[in-house]
Amino acid sequence: MKTSRLLAWCAVLTLTFGSPMLQAQTLELDYSGFYKYLAKVKKAKVEQAELGFYLSRADGQGLCTIESGVIRVDDEVRGQVTVLPHGQFTLTEDKELDLDKAKVVLEVVEETQCNISIQIQSNLTAGNRDLSELRAIEDDMYRLLQKMAGWPGKYFVPELQGLTLNPAVPGGHVAGKVQLKLSQAQLTETGSLSLPAVRITPWF
C-alpha cells in the first residue's frame, strides 16, 4: 500500500462515517454504527486518545449545530447525548444498547444536509502540561490509528509529524494563535506549556 493511498485513507477516516447525507432538523441514527468504532477504541487500550463524532455540513461550511440529543430504544429514553462547545457529541460504549438496536436522535438547528464525521483526537482541560504528556498523547493516537487501519494497513500507517492543538472553545486561542502545531522535534524537548482547554488532533 503506497503512503499516498494510506494518507488518503486516513483523511477518509477523519471525515466520514459510512453514512449517507441526511437532511432534517431531527436526525435518527443507528447506535450500532457508532458502537463498532467505540469497541475498537476499547480494544486499542489507549488512555489519552479517542474517536470524536461530529456532524459536518455537506456544503463544507463547518459543522451543523446540534441543539440536543438522546439515545432511544423504541419509545424509551436510555441516555442523553453530550454536546461539547466545539461541536463534538459524545456517546458511551454500551453493548446492551447495541443489542437492543438503540437509536441516536439528534436535534439540529440548521435545515441543511449533514454528514457524520469522525476524528482521532484527545480533549485536554486547561492547565500546565508537560511535553512528556503530549508525547504520550501522540503515542496513543498512533496506536489507535493503527487499530483503526486493521491488518495489513497498520503496517503502512505513516509516522506523525506531530500534533495540532485547537482551542476547545470556538474563537479561542492557543499560545496566542488560532491553532498551534507542535513538531516531533518540539515534542522531544523538555519543559511544559500553559494551555487553555484544547482539542488535539494528529498532524500528518
Side-chain angles (χ1 to χ4, degrees), residues 64-138:
C64 295
T65 306
I66 304 171
E67 194 169 61
S68 63
V70 297
I71 301 174
R72 289 184 178 274
V73 174
D74 298 323
D75 294 328
E76 179 188 0
V77 175
R78 295 273 289 272
Q80 299 293 321
V81 176
T82 301
V83 183
L84 302 181
H86 58 271
Q88 177 188 355
F89 63 96
T90 65
L91 302 169
T92 57
E93 185 260 342
D94 190 322
K95 182 64 176 177
E96 277 193 35
L97 291 175
D98 180 48
L99 294 173
D100 291 343
K101 302 187 184 304
K103 300 289 185 180
V104 178
V105 183
L106 302 175
E107 299 297 328
V108 179
V109 173
E110 301 93 346
E111 291 187 14
T112 186
Q113 290 183 322
C114 302
N115 292 328
I116 302 295
S117 62
I118 184 172
Q119 172 71 60
I120 291 178
Q121 61 174 46
S122 180
N123 287 318
L124 277 186
T125 56
N128 201 52
R129 303 288 181 175
D130 287 341
L131 289 173
S132 60
E133 181 179 357
L134 298 180
R135 287 196 298 272
I137 290 173
E138 184 189 41

Side-chain angles (χ1 to χ4, degrees), residues 46 48-50 120-123 136-146 160 162-164 199-203:
V46 292
Q48 301 191 74
E50 64 176 18
I120 291 178
Q121 61 174 46
S122 180
N123 287 318
I137 290 173
E138 184 189 41
D139 290 343
D140 269 4
M141 285 184 175
Y142 189 71
R143 189 178 301 113
L144 181 55
L145 182 60
Q146 288 181 309
L160 303 184
L163 298 175
T164 302
R199 180 175 65 95
I200 302 176
T201 56
W203 173 17

Side-chain angles (χ1 to χ4, degrees), residues 135-186:
R135 287 196 298 272
I137 290 173
E138 184 189 41
D139 290 343
D140 269 4
M141 285 184 175
Y142 189 71
R143 189 178 301 113
L144 181 55
L145 182 60
Q146 288 181 309
K147 186 67 177 180
M148 300 305 297
W151 189 92
K154 66 180 182 179
Y155 297 110
F156 300 94
V157 172
E159 296 292 333
L160 303 184
Q161 293 187 48
L163 298 175
T164 302
L165 281 63
N166 301 280
V169 178
H173 291 80
V174 183
K177 300 179 181 180
V178 175
Q179 182 185 81
L180 177 65
K181 287 183 178 291
L182 295 175
S183 67
Q184 287 280 3
Q186 290 172 307

Side-chain angles (χ1 to χ4, degrees), residues 180-195:
L180 177 65
K181 287 183 178 291
L182 295 175
S183 67
Q184 287 280 3
Q186 290 172 307
L187 289 170
T188 58
E189 296 174 358
T190 57
S192 62
L193 292 173
S194 180
L195 297 173

Side-chain angles (χ1 to χ4, degrees), residues 28-79:
E28 187 173 290
L29 310 165
D30 290 336
Y31 174 81
S32 60
F34 298 98
Y35 176 79
K36 66 180 181 181
Y37 286 101
L38 293 169
K40 283 189 176 182
V41 174
K42 185 176 181 179
K43 288 179 181 179
K45 296 181 180 179
V46 292
E47 295 182 1
Q48 301 191 74
E50 64 176 18
L51 296 179
F53 301 117
Y54 299 84
L55 282 183
S56 300
R57 292 176 61 104
D59 59 11
Q61 300 301 307
L63 299 176
C64 295
T65 306
I66 304 171
E67 194 169 61
S68 63
V70 297
I71 301 174
R72 289 184 178 274
V73 174
D74 298 323
D75 294 328
E76 179 188 0
V77 175
R78 295 273 289 272

